[in-house]
Amino acid sequence: EVQLLESGGGLVQPGGSLRLSCAASGFTVSSSAMSWVRQAPGKGLEWVSTIKTSGENTYYADSVKGRFTISRDNSKNTLYLQMNSLKAEDTALYYCAITKKGYWGQGTLVTVSS
Amino acid sequence: AIQLTQSPSSLSASVGDRVTITCRASQGISSALVWCQQKPGKAPKLLIHDASTLETGVPSRFSGSGSGTDFSLTISSLQPEDFATYYCQQFNSYPLTFGGGTKVEIK
């Protein structure tokens, strides 16, 4: 059974940094393109970033480009999202997902506030 | 970036009703579209992939159709557990995008 477990969310001040982790089980993270998707409180889903199987091809939403970095550690079977220069508008529940296959974690909440 | 416009943004319907939600892409995306369902406090659940292929385990009252720029999700007979928010997502090109969502409420 595929499971995705996010961690690393929390309260951070504007301009701060956080690193989200997504521990995968039931499959290997290098075998599929994996994404981060976020959902601001009361709002819709927003795609944030994807890393392809090669690990070299990464993609970002314009709203996070230059501030967020997606990566993975195959030895730990874990996906990451390094988030720098955080803004209030980054406040959201962040999901790790393989949306095309219907695999989603339960999300980790990031709150950016002073 | 490809924009996905869902309509309506919300609807009220009764159990047993036939419901159709549309998703229009700003440019052609072939059949690179999925539909998912989200209930409050839960992660989204995949219903349809490749525009019209029902995900394993999803009830047959759900169906998807379309290709190119115009897509639809139909629930043939709405059930109490179907009251939720529905999203389309395109995989044709990056940045990937979601539609704005359609909230299906009880009339």
Side-chain angles (χ1 to χ4, degrees), chain A residues 55-77:
Chain A
E56 296 175 351
N57 291 358
T58 57
Y59 305 88
Y60 299 92
D62 286 346
S63 57
V64 307
K65 199 173 294 182
R67 300 187 298 122
F68 289 12
T69 302
I70 191 171
S71 63
R72 67 175 187 236
D73 184 331
N74 295 340
S75 67
K76 295 182 178 179
N77 213 32

Side-chain angles (χ1 to χ4, degrees), chain A residues 33 35 37 39 43-47 50 52 59-62 95 99-102 104-106, chain B residues 1 34 36 38 41-46 49-50 55 87 89 91 94-100:
Chain A
S35 300
V37 175
Q39 187 167 36
K43 302 297 184 182
L45 300 172
E46 180 188 13
W47 172 80
T50 295
K52 300 294 283 288
Y59 305 88
Y60 299 92
D62 286 346
Y95 292 103
T99 58
K100 202 172 186 178
K101 294 184 179 180
W104 293 75
Q106 287 306 300
Chain B
V34 303
C36 62
Q38 188 179 34
K42 300 292 187 181
K45 173 188 174 184
L46 182 65
H49 63 90
D50 297 322
E55 184 67 6
Y87 296 92
Q89 183 192 13
F91 287 89
Y94 290 92
L96 305 184
T97 43
F98 285 92

Side-chain angles (χ1 to χ4, degrees), chain A residues 99-102, chain B residues 29-36 46-55 63-68 70-72 89-92:
Chain A
T99 58
K100 202 172 186 178
K101 294 184 179 180
Chain B
I29 59 170
S30 185
S31 297
L33 185 105
V34 303
W35 289 96
C36 62
L46 182 65
L47 299 176
I48 303 279
H49 63 90
D50 297 322
S52 60
T53 303
L54 196 67
E55 184 67 6
S63 64
S65 66
S67 67
D70 293 310
F71 302 85
S72 64
Q89 183 192 13
Q90 65 84 18
F91 287 89
N92 182 76

